[in-house]
């Protein structure tokens, strides 16, 4: 489906910029509005924030492991 949309968009002069990381969030509209108001590139903004999101997720996961929030065994 995506190649068809890319080809259709190219007829209108829209260049492909890649697929967004997560487009199902309710914050997508606010992100587009913020990026548009600040005159930033959406793809660059996602690449920048993806690094911090990944690092934060790893720290959160490791913290949960250290605190025992994820049980790895089932007591009978």
């Amino acid at each position: 489906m995506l190649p068809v949309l890319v080809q259709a968009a190219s007829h209108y002069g829209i260049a492909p910029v890649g697929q967004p990381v997560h487009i199902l969030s309710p914050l997508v509209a606010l992100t587009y509005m913020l990026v548009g108001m600040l005159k930033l590139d959406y793809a660059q903004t996602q690449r920048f924030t993806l690094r911090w999101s990944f690092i934060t997720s790893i720290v959160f996961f490791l913290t949960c492991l250290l605190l025992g929030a994820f049980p790895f065994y089932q007591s009978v």
Side-chain angles (χ1 to χ4, degrees), residues 4-49:
V4 174
L5 294 176
V6 168
Q7 185 178 10
S10 68
H11 291 295
Y12 294 101
I14 300 171
V17 293
Q19 184 176 0
V21 175
H22 182 55
I23 203 69
L24 298 176
S25 170
L27 301 175
V28 171
L30 294 174
T31 305
Y32 275 121
M33 186 174 74
L34 179 65
V35 168
M37 290 173 65
L38 295 175
K39 308 269 192 265
L40 298 173
D41 181 33
Y42 190 73
Q44 287 178 344
T45 304
Q46 274 195 333
R47 279 191 293 271
F48 176 77
T49 57

Side-chain angles (χ1 to χ4, degrees), residues 35-72:
V35 168
M37 290 173 65
L38 295 175
K39 308 269 192 265
L40 298 173
D41 181 33
Y42 190 73
Q44 287 178 344
T45 304
Q46 274 195 333
R47 279 191 293 271
F48 176 77
T49 57
L50 184 62
R51 291 181 195 133
W52 289 107
S53 299
F54 181 74
I55 292 169
T56 303
S57 297
I58 295 298
V59 169
F60 182 70
F61 179 72
L62 292 175
T63 303
C64 288
L65 284 177
L66 290 173
L67 295 176
F70 301 134
F72 287 110

